[in-house]
Amino acid sequence: MEEQRVGKANGQEPTIVAFFCTWCTYTAADLAGTSRMKYAPNVRIIRVMCSGRVDPQFVVEAFAQGADGVLIGGCHPGDCHYVEGNYKTLRRIALLKRVLREMGIEDERLRLEWISASEGDKVARVINDMVEAVRRLGRLDLPGKRKGWDAELLHHDGPTEALAAAAASDGR
């Protein structure tokens, strides 16, 4: 417990952003809370109507704003209130992992889980497991890494300067 407090004070504790479907996974998280199940406090839960509503841009933005991991929870396949929302999520996550890999973000930092409303214990287990996995990977610090990317663009003698010159001539 003391290590956890010290880690938080030093900014060492990972932050996980979780997008939970309101019908299943969010209800399961609520069940875990009312059943007093313990899980790591590192997760910030965002309630969405369906896991299929999680735009890949939300995930990229979470990482860009400092999240160390993103967890998406939805209904089990075949149980989606919107019939095929979770199937869309499954396809998007596969594509998104490819893009994140290209950005240097490890696959373990993005996780998709099917958790029904009655599986409060699974919510606690998945959150604790993901926090430990991300803790082993270390902080992502994408905002810090992005500063280097911006510097690369500023010193690049390519299209960036041409775009800046074009913008200046347009009066932008």
Side-chain angles (χ1 to χ4, degrees):
M1 188 69 158
E2 184 61 31
E3 282 180 22
Q4 202 171 26
R5 277 193 221 130
V6 171
K8 280 184 183 176
N10 294 333
Q12 300 298 314
E13 279 296 305
T15 301
I16 310 292
V17 173
F19 296 98
F20 284 171
C21 151
T22 193
W23 302 104
C24 287
T25 311
Y26 188 84
T27 304
D30 196 32
L31 175 65
T34 56
S35 303
R36 298 180 183 249
M37 294 177 190
K38 300 276 184 210
Y39 57 85
N42 307 55
V43 177
R44 308 295 177 264
I45 297 173
I46 298 171
R47 188 180 191 172
V48 294
M49 287 307 290
C50 176
S51 62
R53 297 288 299 159
V54 177
D55 191 302
Q57 189 173 351
F58 297 168
V59 174
V60 173
E61 188 65 24
F63 284 122
Q65 295 296 321
D68 299 301
V70 174
L71 172 63
I72 299 172
C75 304
H76 286 276
D79 290 342
C80 178
H81 277 66
Y82 303 101
V83 182
E84 59 185 27
N86 46 14
Y87 292 112
K88 289 179 182 173
T89 304
L90 186 60
R91 289 191 298 266
R92 286 182 185 154
I93 294 300
L95 292 172
L96 189 55
K97 281 193 174 198
R98 285 188 202 165
V99 171
L100 294 177
R101 243 180 264 133
E102 291 296 317
M103 295 172 65
I105 298 174
E106 301 91 346
D107 283 353
E108 296 83 8
R109 293 185 186 274
L110 175 61
R111 184 169 173 171
L112 172 64
E113 286 289 336
W114 308 130
I115 303 172
S116 74
S118 63
E119 296 177 312
D121 58 327
K122 187 173 180 182
V123 168
R125 187 170 16 93
V126 165
I127 288 173
N128 290 335
D129 184 52
M130 182 154 185
V131 167
E132 281 306 311
V134 171
R135 198 176 275 149
R136 279 191 301 273
L137 292 171
R139 299 295 313 262
L140 178 59
D141 190 29
L142 196 56
K145 289 178 183 174
R146 284 180 38 203
K147 289 177 187 169
W149 297 348
D150 291 344
E152 273 180 35
L153 290 174
L154 291 175
H155 292 41
H156 189 272
D157 294 334
T160 306
E161 289 183 355
L163 288 173
S169 69
D170 288 347
R172 288 188 257 167

